[in-house]
Amino acid sequence: MKISTKSDRSDYPSAARIKWFRQQLSAWGSANRRDFPWRKTTDSYHLLVAESLLQKTDAQTVAPIYELFLEHYPTIKDLAAANLDNIAQLLKPLGLFFRAERLQQCAQIIIRQYEGKVPQTQKHLLGLPGIGDYTARAIGSQAFNQPLAVLDANVARILERFFGLQGERVKSRCKILWGAADLIAPKTKVGTWNLALLDFGALTCKAQNPDCENCPLSSKCKWNIDR
């Protein structure tokens, strides 16, 4: 997905500012990375399940359901052949009934069209039910080590605050913020970078009561300086 263009970037920060931001966030991420079961694998099926369950649901709630789900459906073939009501019952604590149906539809399409292997390209991932830009890029960066930045509410908030960007109301569709996420991400180990941003937004640069006193970015954060 290539959203940004050179003209889009006219108001973006300098290379030096981006470099400093990367250095601080990478160091923070190495010391503060959260531990979730899906972060211990590059199995594309496991990550497809994880990212599907994480949609609109916090990671702490998802973790035990994710592990139980994989105990019941250890392979994509198991999921494709399962009883939908049983899947829905297993996922009931997470809400959103359609999640079970979409997950099984994904598995069935992957069996039918991709020989049981989760597709690697963002284009093909986007063709699966319930898979949007964020989920496709998260799977691509974590499972296939592709240089794909992600953008969710946490990442958008960090970019807007630190760089003084003004995104649109619906962050997930904002070309300015997607372009910034692409530009600011490093060229390598983007999966690790994405996790650092997600954790930083969840633990430090929170929507309410951000921990600016202990934030490694506070000295150069436009939001912190201007408030």
Side-chain angles (χ1 to χ4, degrees):
M1 182 173 118
K2 186 175 178 58
I3 295 174
S4 55
T5 65
K6 187 174 182 180
S7 60
D8 291 330
R9 298 178 176 182
S10 59
D11 295 327
Y12 283 178
S14 66
R17 186 168 173 79
I18 291 173
K19 181 179 180 180
W20 187 86
F21 178 82
R22 286 175 182 163
Q23 290 173 337
Q24 299 303 313
L25 255 295
S26 295
W28 184 94
S30 296
N32 295 278
R33 186 164 299 118
R34 293 180 294 172
D35 182 25
F36 295 115
W38 52 85
R39 292 189 174 186
K40 301 174 183 178
T41 183
T42 58
D43 185 291
S44 57
Y45 167 59
H46 292 185
L47 288 164
L48 172 67
V49 170
E51 293 298 336
S52 297
L53 301 189
L54 286 164
Q55 292 176 6
K56 301 183 183 300
T57 311
D58 70 89
Q60 295 288 354
T61 302
V62 167
I65 303 298
Y66 164 83
E67 294 186 301
L68 187 61
F69 188 95
L70 290 179
E71 287 180 14
H72 281 76
Y73 313 112
T75 71
I76 202 162
K77 290 183 179 180
D78 294 322
L79 176 58
N83 179 280
L84 179 58
D85 289 337
N86 292 341
I87 301 172
Q89 187 63 32
L90 185 62
L91 299 184
K92 187 175 181 179
L94 303 181
L96 301 176
F97 173 79
F98 60 80
R99 193 185 333 233
E101 185 175 16
R102 286 179 176 177
L103 249 177
Q104 185 173 55
Q105 288 174 347
C106 281
Q108 291 170 345
I109 290 171
I110 290 169
I111 295 293
R112 187 168 62 249
Q113 297 184 13
Y114 301 103
E115 299 180 344
K117 297 178 181 178
V118 176
Q120 296 190 25
T121 70
Q122 186 176 348
K123 177 182 177 180
H124 289 145
L125 284 167
L126 287 171
L128 298 175
I131 303 298
D133 290 320
Y134 173 88
T135 304
R137 283 174 161 239
I139 294 170
S141 64
Q142 301 300 328
F144 305 119
N145 195 32
Q146 295 172 353
L148 298 171
V150 297
L151 179 75
D152 72 347
N154 281 331
V155 177
R157 184 170 59 252
I158 297 166
L159 299 183
E160 287 183 316
R161 284 177 174 175
F162 183 81
F163 293 105
L165 298 173
Q166 183 58 57
E168 299 166 7
R169 186 177 65 84
V170 181
K171 308 304 181 185
S172 61
R173 300 176 186 172
C174 179
K175 292 183 178 182
I176 293 172
L177 294 178
W178 271 113
D182 281 336
L183 179 65
I184 292 163
K187 304 302 181 185
T188 60
K189 298 182 179 180
V190 179
T192 300
W193 168 256
N194 289 340
L195 296 182
L197 279 172
L198 297 174
D199 289 346
F200 188 71
L203 300 176
T204 299
C205 193
K206 297 175 286 187
Q208 303 295 327
N209 301 315
D211 187 12
C212 296
E213 289 187 7
N214 297 304
C215 174
L217 304 176
S218 60
S219 65
K220 295 186 179 184
C221 173
K222 184 170 177 55
W223 184 81
N224 184 54
I225 293 170
D226 292 348
R227 67 185 177 134

